[in-house]
Amino acid sequence: MRPAGRADTASLYFTYPQFAAPEGAARAGLARDVAVAIVGAGPVGMVAALTLAQQGIASVLIEAKDSFNDGSRAICIARQSYAILDSLGVVAPFLEKSLGWTTGRSFYRGRQILEFHMPDGPEEKFRPMYNLEQQFIEAYLWQAIEANPLIETRWQSRLEGIEIDEAGARLTVADPEGSYSFHASWVLAADGARSAVRSQLGLRLQGQNFEGRYVIADVQMEHDYPTIRRALFDPACRPGATVLIHRQPDNIWRIDYQLGDDEDPAEAVREDVVRDSVAAVLAEIGHAGPWELEWWSIYSANTLALEDYRKGPVIFIGDSAHIVPIFGVRGLNNGIADAHNIGWKLGHVLAGKAGVALIDSYPPERRGATLDVFANASKSARFMTPPTRGWQILRDAALGLALTHPFAGELANPRQMTPFTYAESPAVLPDDPGFAAGPAPGAAMIEARVGAGFLSDRLARGGFTLVCFDPALARAIEALPGAPAVACLPWPSAAAERLGAGQNAAYLLRPDLHVGARWQAATAETVRAALDKLCFREV
Ligand SMILES: Cc1cc2nc3c(=O)[nH]c(=O)nc-3n(C[C@H](O)[C@H](O)[C@H](O)COP(=O)(O)OP(=O)(O)OC[C@H]3O[C@@H](n4cnc5c(N)ncnc54)[C@H](O)[C@@H]3O)c2cc1C
């Protein structure tokens, strides 16, 4: 919601572009068959389109609205998402605009009980977290899409029907000129929490709703506090409740405050009530200057997911597949990983580089990641908003103890997101027990300094990479037909040590930067056979 007198998209800091529906000559091709349709040009659909395009695969992106998402949504983007954006070649504007951060502070009844620092250091190319408003995330993805001839975007085009057949699915779309249908061999459903694709196919999200409601308010003000996440437990401005405060670019501050059991949600979102509540929080944090309300909404946490992320040729990614509590900042971050995961797999299959069975590894890998998020997010949701009197007593006891015993403050550590390890996946190979360190198959590759740059700078964009230390092995791999890219690193080196790698060791990385296989004694033959297996190629 925006203050009275301001239109839905009348933002204080962002100018919404307006995109036209297909018109003129572009309409002639609307009904043609396509290989991939992506429903929803939110951030997840856009990342999927860019990932497919990186694989050389064209897609049609269908979006109901005429602009980016309005209001304020995701603000915290994790390191792993920046690594994905980097591998897609689009991270530069994100880095320029966003605010990187490592530190959070928690306060109980006005006194600091915890300062946590997320893992960071000179070995890392990206900070653990960046704050950036979702509008900019979408705008920067759009810059890349607009310039990419492999992606056809149809704005103001709402999916109204979908029917699966033996060759894919037929989609019915309505736009301002009327309605038409077209056939797609594959459909990526990226149409968000209220997915039309999901409901058209009779699928339902399953899971849990949490107690407790929050008002999410964005405020513009000049406020002199670094980019450090603040959590206020039981503050004087909201006794018994929790308040979160985040700095964003353009002097925008995100203030999330919990409503008390006695507060009527409908009343709580009235503009005058929001203004009073925000003013009380700002007084508590010592902001005496002017401020303006940008936007607000009401929110309660859910852990909901589809039982299966695939129905035949239709694959669910992002919020259409899962809804997670915002406090773990995993909704969009997970959606970006979904899109990247299915993007390289579908791209490899359609480009003839992998067998179609590779697609089957998407649902278990990414649903596994969602269930892991649920486990973590449920813990933090219970801490932020204790669901019962018993939880409340336990939580308050821990917070009270933390005033005098710092170890108890750790309980207030939100444990920010780390990438999920696909340990059980059919698209990773068993580990070599000879490793005492480094990421196991299924885990995301770690970052390391290599010369003046980073290991990730040496990895293929969109393809497999063999990271090795023996120049003779590197040459043998490069001579293979359909060879992966090779990053041959010095040995011994700090990177080799972090990877637990002997001189003949090698890591085979998938295009999504997860480890597919590793060996202490790699040969060209083992690497070639592993590539065939990871790509489900018949040999
Ligand atoms: C207040 C708030 C704060 C959040 N903070 C964070 C955070 O800090 N970090 C984080 O990782 N996540 C956060 N999230 C979650 C994040 O915003 C979502 O996970 C993310 O937007 C999901 O992206 P998506 O592309 O899957 O869906 P959406 O962003 O919802 O995009 C779906 C798109 O599909 C389009 N669409 C829908 N139906 C149709 C149809 N029938 N035909 C065609 N198009 C259609 C919609 O118009 C929309 O553009 C937050 C969410 C909220 C509400």
Side-chain angles (χ1 to χ4, degrees), residues 131-153:
N131 283 0
L132 181 65
E133 298 94 338
Q134 188 162 324
Q135 289 90 330
F136 289 109
I137 297 171
E138 296 184 25
Y140 298 153
L141 291 170
W142 173 247
Q143 272 175 20
I145 289 198
E146 206 180 12
N148 196 315
L150 287 174
I151 307 170
E152 175 190 339
T153 310

Side-chain angles (χ1 to χ4, degrees), residues 372-453:
D372 185 58
V373 168
F374 284 0
N376 286 305
S378 305
K379 270 186 241 153
S380 59
R382 278 195 208 103
F383 200 86
M384 301 285 298
T385 316
T388 62
R389 180 90 192 109
W391 277 105
Q392 177 92 38
I393 291 169
L394 271 175
R395 201 276 311 257
D396 290 352
L399 291 171
L401 188 63
L403 288 172
T404 47
H405 296 77
F407 78 89
E410 271 303 311
L411 290 165
N413 188 335
R415 314 234 170 275
Q416 301 293 340
M417 119 151 226
T418 48
F420 181 64
T421 296
Y422 306 133
E424 309 286 319
S425 170
V428 300
L429 299 186
D431 199 9
D432 177 340
F435 281 86
M445 187 54 166
I446 57 169
E447 187 57 286
R449 280 256 170 211
V450 178

Side-chain angles (χ1 to χ4, degrees), residues 86-347:
D86 190 24
S87 84
L88 291 173
V90 301
V91 80
F94 290 84
L95 281 172
E96 198 170 308
K97 179 86 183 177
S98 59
L99 304 173
W101 60 280
T102 55
T103 305
R105 292 181 184 149
S106 297
F107 301 82
Y108 180 50
R109 297 186 176 161
R111 285 171 59 192
Q112 187 171 319
I113 53 162
L114 170 74
E115 176 168 302
F116 68 83
H117 301 274
M118 292 180 283
D120 200 17
E123 293 293 321
E124 295 292 351
K125 183 169 183 181
F126 300 114
R127 306 288 62 77
M129 201 66 80
Y130 291 87
N131 283 0
L132 181 65
E133 298 94 338
Q134 188 162 324
Q135 289 90 330
F136 289 109
I137 297 171
E138 296 184 25
Y140 298 153
L141 291 170
W142 173 247
Q143 272 175 20
I145 289 198
E146 206 180 12
N148 196 315
L150 287 174
I151 307 170
E152 175 190 339
T153 310
R154 301 179 187 174
W155 293 96
Q156 302 189 41
S157 301
R158 176 176 298 278
L159 177 107
E160 298 213 315
I162 178 165
E163 272 178 46
I164 292 178
D165 57 36
E166 64 292 339
R170 179 153 290 280
L171 291 80
T172 305
V173 175
D175 73 8
E177 302 276 310
S179 166
Y180 63 92
S181 79
F182 72 100
H183 192 272
S185 309
W186 295 90
V187 178
L188 301 183
D191 53 345
R194 296 199 185 91
S195 169
V197 177
R198 205 177 58 219
S199 53
Q200 287 277 339
L201 295 178
L203 303 172
R204 290 178 64 110
L205 298 173
Q206 315 278 345
Q208 214 187 333
N209 295 81
F210 286 87
E211 299 287 321
R213 284 162 198 272
Y214 277 76
V215 170
I216 316 278
D218 279 348
V219 170
Q220 191 177 55
M221 62 182 180
E222 291 205 17
H223 175 58
D224 189 17
Y225 200 83
T227 312
I228 289 180
R229 165 205 190 267
R230 281 176 283 180
L232 317 182
F233 294 100
D234 200 5
C237 61
R238 289 220 136 235
T242 305
V243 177
L244 288 175
I245 303 159
H246 275 283
R247 178 180 208 138
Q248 305 171 62
D250 298 319
N251 285 332
I252 299 291
W253 294 76
R254 166 72 50 92
I255 298 172
D256 302 356
Y257 56 87
Q258 187 188 352
L259 297 181
D261 292 342
D262 55 341
E263 284 178 274
D264 172 9
E267 178 99 341
V269 293
R270 249 185 29 220
E271 182 174 339
D272 57 323
V273 178
V274 174
R275 284 189 183 278
D276 287 350
S277 304
V278 168
V281 173
L282 298 186
E284 172 120 10
I285 61 172
H287 177 77
W291 55 275
E292 187 46 84
L293 257 183
E294 156 72 2
W295 174 91
W296 69 94
S297 69
I298 191 159
Y299 169 83
S300 69
N302 298 299
T303 47
L304 298 170
L306 282 173
E307 296 256 306
D308 191 349
Y309 287 3
R310 175 174 178 191
K311 187 169 168 89
V314 180
I315 291 156
F316 292 86
I317 56 179
D319 277 13
S320 75
H322 47 72
I323 299 175
V324 305
I326 60 174
F327 304 118
V329 300
R330 290 162 169 100
L332 177 54
N333 286 298
N334 248 357
I336 289 174
D338 293 349
H340 198 227
N341 188 302
I342 192 59
W344 80 261
K345 290 176 179 172
L346 188 53

Side-chain angles (χ1 to χ4, degrees), residues 447-463:
E447 187 57 286
R449 280 256 170 211
V450 178
F454 292 93
L455 173 57
S456 60
D457 301 333
R458 310 272 295 265
L459 306 181
R461 289 185 161 178

